[in-house]
Amino acid sequence: GAVVSQHPSRVICKSGTSVKIECRSLDFQATTMFWYRQFPKQSLMLMATSNEGSKATYEQGVEKDKFLINHASLTLSTLTVTSAHPEDSSFYICSARDARGGSDTQYFGPGTRLTVL
Amino acid sequence: GNSVTQMEGPVTLSEEAFLTINCTYTATGYPSLFWYVQYPGEGLQLLLKATKADDKGSNKGFEATYRKETTSFHLEKGSVQVSDSAVYFCALSDRWEGFQKLVFGTGTRLLVSP
């Protein structure tokens, strides 16, 4: 299967600072990537859909000015949590859409655990 | 709208027991169906998928059959191992949304004891 990486895997920051999380598709090009948030023992909540070369599409209730998404290339999308607060602490997971050969499957990164003090 | 319903966990089994995790869905179009597995502290891994009715997805001893008549995609394994302990997510992707968005169930935690 395809490989998606995330960096960093863990980050601890002070309240009010900004944190950037990178998502990379390592062996395929992904025109579409997705950002999810997962709370403890809960399912994944889609935050936004990131399309290469265009603005991200945010789900209802997700603040686009707080969660900045940039899909700079076909293999890289970044999520920046601006002015982070303790309630932003969560597990953030990205996925990349692999549409090669008509398969259309999302492959997920290993996740980034953000802790805001 | 589209939705996925999974059985609540945790499911607790002894090693070599038979596993079934139920999953039913509601979709307006013609969805593809997926099972993902999440091991502790990790992201999701695609376990298996089926793209049309009557397709059977299989991987690592796990199987699931796309049943359109019952709108179900139950996950089964004949003999579980301790290493199968994880959270399992059923999900669908709907053609009418360009196969892009995944809708997840709430996840079912499986605990396998030796």
Side-chain angles (χ1 to χ4, degrees):
Chain A
V3 180
V4 176
S5 70
Q6 272 184 251
H7 178 79
S9 57
R10 289 178 179 271
V11 57
I12 301 173
C13 69
K14 293 182 179 180
S15 187
T17 61
S18 294
V19 174
K20 180 185 284 188
I21 302 170
E22 292 186 348
C23 177
R24 294 182 185 273
S25 56
L26 298 185
D27 52 359
F28 66 102
Q29 293 182 331
T31 55
T32 306
M33 292 184 174
F34 302 86
W35 287 96
Y36 296 84
R37 185 172 179 177
Q38 186 180 31
F39 293 98
K41 297 184 179 181
Q42 294 188 25
S43 189
L44 280 71
M45 180 192 79
L46 179 64
M47 299 175 65
T49 302
S50 168
N51 292 297
E52 188 268 338
S54 63
K55 291 184 178 180
T57 303
Y58 290 82
E59 296 300 300
Q60 193 172 11
V62 178
E63 299 176 60
K64 61 181 180 182
D65 294 331
K66 180 165 188 62
F67 298 100
L68 300 179
I69 291 172
N70 182 25
H71 196 145
S73 74
L74 289 172
T75 59
L76 173 64
S77 176
T78 60
L79 168 68
T80 301
V81 183
T82 62
S83 187
H85 291 283
E87 57 266 29
D88 299 324
S89 298
S90 192
F91 195 51
Y92 292 88
I93 304 176
C94 74
S95 70
R97 179 185 178 218
D98 182 3
R100 293 174 296 178
S103 66
D104 205 338
T105 300
Q106 284 189 36
Y107 292 93
F108 285 77
T112 297
R113 184 160 303 283
L114 170 64
T115 303
V116 184
L117 303 176
Chain B
N2 298 334
S3 65
V4 174
T5 303
Q6 284 182 243
M7 60 188 292
E8 283 195 29
V11 173
T12 304
L13 296 173
S14 297
E15 205 165 24
E16 298 183 3
F18 184 85
L19 168 71
T20 299
I21 300 178
N22 290 338
C23 170
T24 57
Y25 68 89
T26 302
T28 53
Y30 302 91
S32 292
L33 302 174
F34 305 83
W35 277 101
Y36 284 87
V37 58
Q38 184 178 33
Y39 297 100
E42 298 182 13
L44 274 68
Q45 299 177 25
L46 177 64
L47 182 59
L48 54 84
K49 67 176 183 179
T51 58
K52 60 183 187 298
D54 299 325
D55 269 2
K56 177 185 283 188
S58 62
N59 186 27
K60 300 180 181 179
F62 291 90
E63 291 183 342
T65 301
Y66 189 142
R67 301 285 188 200
K68 188 178 179 182
E69 64 275 14
T70 54
T71 62
S72 64
F73 193 55
H74 305 321
L75 182 68
E76 297 182 335
K77 186 174 185 182
S79 176
V80 293
Q81 306 300 312
V82 173
S83 57
D84 294 326
S85 297
V87 180
Y88 292 81
F89 291 93
C90 185
L92 70 79
S93 177
D94 195 332
R95 177 178 300 185
W96 295 108
E97 296 193 51
F99 277 120
Q100 291 207 14
K101 287 187 180 180
L102 280 174
V103 176
F104 285 91
T106 53
T108 302
R109 183 175 299 276
L110 170 64
L111 300 172
V112 181
S113 56

